[in-house]
Amino acid sequence: MVEESLSFTLAEEVFVTSAMAVTLLDTRVSPFGMRVRIALEEKGVKYEYSEQDLRNKGPMLLEMNQVYKKVPVLIHNGKPICESLIAVQYIDDVWNNKSPLLPSDPYQRAQSRFWADFVDNKVYFPGRKTWTKKGQELEAGKNGLIESLKLLEGELGDKPYFEGDKLGYVDVALIPFYSWFHGYETFGNFSIEAECPKLIAWCKRCMQNESVSKSLADPQEVYVFLMELRKKGLEEQEYPASSVNPFCKNILVLIRNGKQVCESLIIVQHIDEVWKDKAPLLPSDLYERTHSIICADFVDKKRHGYIHLEEELEAAEKDFFECVKLLERELGEKPYFANVDIAFLLFCCGFYAWELQHRGPLSLPEPEKACELGLETRKPEVLVAGRNCFERVWEVVELGCGHFGFSSKLPPLAIEPTQKLQTVWIGNDFHSVSSR
Ligand SMILES: N[C@@H](CCC(=O)N[C@@H](CS)C(=O)NCC(=O)O)C(=O)O
């Protein structure tokens, strides 16, 4: 009894302290911001809302999201957490006493992360074409959007919510777009409900949750916002079609106990969660952990800087070196990026550097062009750190998971990175499969 009341008091204290210390930099119509608002509402976290003017970004936003300068930014105890999906996971980790959003089973968690990532890549981008493009490009946007929504409908199946009976992570990732559908439909002159009736029924179900209905912007407000952007000709920056990490997708697949996990960063997190008794990849401190995930996500997003046509190479190179500078600042004097033995971040940075140095982007007509970047001479520290970490990661995977179908020691500078990427891991035994 005494114990019970003590733990109650402590839990409440933690809750009150942290609730007081939460601020959200956001804009009402942002679908990404809506995700964070839903998550905070679900957890009952009190927070200060700060509407940002994105045409005239204030010092707080520029300071708190130095890398992307975008909303939403969640600020907890003075420390920023950027990127909506990462912020939602952070909220789920910190306020874990109520309304879990991610499933507890590692495989289900990986699946949820996969679908949320799918929403970012395959709903948001084609959706944007419906209000920024005309003619064939508009048609391509509409078709792409419907195709993705149908896939999501299939994933939902007959369940009330994506993760089961209650609102979960994938629901939180997708539902904000419901308030954008009206804009998409009006500018694109089509009906989502006619194509995906079950998905619209799911949207209406989600809206019965107060956390959702309170957080979503009015569709009319979003429509007016999009109309104004169109009038001003302020189309958002266009991303190349290839921006969605084209060569990791469909190549790296982890199969464990017959179940597939896709997307490299999700796989790494999954490995870390399943084999958690040895060599942790992610820091245990929740903030540090989130920070590592943000950095890894940054590396992942920025790799598209390289998958460009030849004529875009110069701009891509500039962009790349800006990113490397940021990473270098992040690395500081540390041997690895995080304070742990092996940094999650460098896992991907290693890949990245490796590919640039030795192979070049797959879609580039002349792969050797990429090598002209001279990463080795221009940014030796980053490359060395990348290589070290790359080797260490293989060691750890071998330690933790047993037999590899190939050597864990990388022959210096000789191996084709795509051979690694095409390796399929099966169960607790790892086999390499032949390359394409
Ligand atoms: N991937 C980011 C996307 C955030 C984003 O695109 N935010 C937009 C508002 S909806 C923004 O701040 N745009 C300002 C800009 O691009 O300068 C997330 O999930 O948080």
Side-chain angles (χ1 to χ4, degrees):
M1 193 64 207
V2 172
E3 236 177 62
E4 242 179 61
S5 61
L6 184 67
S7 63
F8 174 76
T9 315
L10 283 176
E12 200 168 52
E13 246 172 45
V14 169
F15 177 73
V16 170
T17 322
S18 29
M20 303 291 284
V22 179
T23 302
L24 182 65
L25 309 184
D26 199 359
T27 59
R28 278 294 307 162
V29 293
S30 167
F32 306 104
M34 291 176 213
R35 289 173 172 169
V36 181
R37 279 177 256 155
I38 297 172
L40 290 169
E41 289 294 338
E42 275 291 308
K43 301 284 181 174
V45 178
K46 295 206 171 23
Y47 65 97
E48 189 184 324
Y49 179 87
S50 170
E51 179 80 11
Q52 301 294 301
D53 177 359
L54 295 180
R55 304 263 157 269
N56 184 17
K57 292 176 184 168
M60 177 87 138
L61 177 60
L62 298 177
E63 168 68 23
M64 289 291 158
N65 190 351
Q66 293 183 14
V67 174
Y68 296 120
K69 306 172 180 67
K70 290 187 178 195
V71 295
V73 182
L74 177 76
I75 307 172
H76 185 207
N77 293 331
K79 292 192 280 185
I81 298 107
C82 305
E83 288 297 302
S84 58
L85 290 179
I86 293 171
V88 171
Q89 293 187 51
Y90 178 80
I91 292 167
D92 200 34
D93 282 341
V94 173
W95 290 277
N96 57 6
N97 56 335
K98 193 179 168 195
S99 310
L101 295 172
L102 274 158
S104 54
D105 171 69
Y107 179 72
Q108 295 303 338
R109 287 167 82 81
Q111 286 311 99
S112 294
R113 287 182 180 127
F114 174 85
W115 284 110
D117 182 65
F118 177 87
V119 172
D120 264 7
N121 291 322
K122 298 287 191 181
V123 173
Y124 176 63
F125 289 117
R128 193 160 64 178
K129 289 207 169 111
T130 64
W131 61 276
T132 57
K133 299 292 176 198
K134 295 193 183 107
Q136 279 187 343
E137 281 187 282
L138 166 64
E139 284 310 307
K142 279 196 301 201
N143 294 339
L145 178 68
I146 293 297
E147 201 181 305
S148 302
L149 294 179
K150 283 195 169 150
L151 269 170
L152 283 159
E153 214 175 31
E155 175 59 23
L156 177 67
D158 291 324
K159 304 187 295 285
Y161 295 99
F162 278 89
E163 276 100 349
D165 292 339
K166 292 210 172 94
L167 194 86
Y169 183 64
V170 179
D171 305 300
V172 172
L174 180 62
I175 191 60
F177 291 94
Y178 184 40
S179 66
W180 282 55
F181 283 177
H182 173 60
Y184 294 164
E185 290 174 323
T186 314
F187 293 118
N189 192 24
F190 68 119
S191 158
I192 294 176
E193 186 158 22
E195 302 279 352
C196 308
K198 276 183 157 184
L199 194 84
I200 296 298
W202 162 85
C203 290
K204 292 179 180 156
R205 196 172 308 125
C206 287
M207 286 297 272
Q208 286 163 11
N209 292 272
E210 209 187 322
S211 61
V212 176
S213 57
K214 255 173 108 168
S215 306
L216 257 56
D218 176 14
Q220 190 58 25
E221 187 187 348
V222 175
Y223 172 71
V224 170
F225 167 78
L226 296 181
M227 178 108 91
E228 275 167 15
L229 278 186
R230 268 165 69 108
K231 261 195 224 142
K232 287 182 193 153
L234 289 176
E235 292 184 6
E236 282 182 67
Q237 175 205 350
E238 191 51 69
Y239 286 68
S242 54
S243 73
V244 190
N245 197 356
F247 52 87
C248 258
K249 227 165 216 154
N250 305 329
I251 298 182
L252 182 68
V253 181
L254 177 99
I255 307 175
R256 195 184 144 252
N257 301 333
K259 292 194 260 178
Q260 289 188 8
V261 183
C262 303
E263 287 295 303
S264 59
L265 291 180
I266 295 172
I267 293 174
V268 175
Q269 247 175 300
H270 181 68
I271 291 175
D272 202 34
E273 283 174 4
V274 173
W275 290 280
K276 51 175 169 265
D277 51 330
K278 267 188 203 150
L281 299 174
L282 281 158
S284 56
D285 174 81
L286 282 182
Y287 186 78
E288 292 288 323
R289 187 183 172 83
T290 301
H291 187 68
S292 286
I293 294 174
I294 291 171
C295 291
D297 181 68
F298 170 74
V299 173
D300 212 29
K301 289 212 170 92
K302 287 295 182 181
R303 58 188 290 153
H304 74 245
Y306 272 81
I307 324 230
H308 277 264
L309 301 172
E310 219 173 333
E311 55 269 24
E312 291 171 331
L313 209 58
E314 204 176 309
E317 179 172 330
K318 188 167 162 281
D319 180 44
F320 173 68
F321 278 102
E322 270 166 25
C323 299
V324 174
K325 261 194 219 147
L326 278 166
L327 288 171
E328 214 174 28
R329 204 176 68 189
E330 172 66 29
L331 180 63
E333 300 301 316
K334 304 190 289 291
Y336 295 102
F337 273 77
N339 294 329
V340 286
D341 199 12
I342 293 161
F344 186 56
L345 165 62
L346 253 287
F347 178 77
C348 7
C349 193
F351 258 105
Y352 192 35
W354 196 266
E355 278 169 291
L356 285 174
Q357 191 74 9
H358 305 297
R359 159 106 196 191
L362 295 183
S363 62
L364 210 66
E366 296 167 66
E368 61 277 11
K369 284 263 174 202
C371 305
E372 286 171 16
L373 293 167
L375 191 61
E376 187 129 40
T377 42
R378 290 163 71 173
K379 294 286 167 202
E381 323 78 349
V382 172
L383 194 64
V384 167
R387 269 196 206 136
N388 287 347
C389 185
F390 196 49
E391 290 191 6
R392 290 297 316 274
V393 167
W394 286 129
E395 266 173 41
V396 167
V397 176
E398 190 179 47
L399 260 178
C401 314
H403 169 74
F404 259 138
F406 49 83
S407 163
S408 69
K409 289 268 175 271
L410 283 177
L413 314 185
I415 196 159
E416 277 267 19
T418 44
Q419 281 180 8
K420 288 274 182 217
L421 293 176
Q422 282 167 356
T423 295
V424 177
W425 301 342
I426 305 175
N428 288 340
D429 280 341
F430 286 35
H431 304 273
S432 74
V433 293
S434 56
S435 3
R436 275 186 288 203

